[in-house]
Amino acid sequence: MRRRARTRHRRPTLRPRSTRPATASALHGYAQKGPFLPGSRVTVIRLDALLYPTGATYLSETYGSLGEYDVGSLAAGLYQVEVTGQTRPEAPGAGPTPEITLRAIAAADDGGMITASVTAITHLTTPRIRVLVREGMDLDAAR
């Protein structure tokens, strides 16, 4: 029995949807698996239409007791939000939690405020959303 040679798939060339400039949006959200402790790293990565990173990255950190974060001045488009840090212990008297990273995919429209919560559920669904979008499904339907 002969094995098939693996072929490397090429990413399709993407064309911009519009030639008009996008206006800035602000991204706000909560990072929770128990709230992330203040000072946890928030990395926002710009994605193309097939959810591949474009190279643009924005940094922030969580603040407050609810794991809140803010990132301002984002162009309209798709973003992956990653939060890395420690969370509040879920059991009273429990010791410090290990550092974890959770992810979510967010879509920013032209202008306004976008809210994107990063939770264990969004982290678990992110890989499946990527597969479905790359197979041609609309982002809203993939969610």
Side-chain angles (χ1 to χ4, degrees), residues 33-92:
K33 192 239 156 265
F36 274 77
L37 296 176
S40 295
R41 286 185 313 274
V42 178
T43 306
V44 179
I45 302 165
R46 178 76 189 253
L47 303 173
D48 65 17
L50 293 176
L51 305 181
Y52 289 103
T54 64
T57 303
Y58 307 88
L59 302 175
S60 185
E61 58 184 41
T62 59
Y63 64 89
S65 62
L66 298 176
E68 299 153 285
Y69 67 89
D70 291 307
V71 180
S73 299
L74 298 177
L78 301 172
Y79 295 89
Q80 176 174 288
V81 182
E82 293 183 356
V83 182
T84 301
Q86 292 184 313
T87 62
R88 296 196 186 284
E90 295 179 8

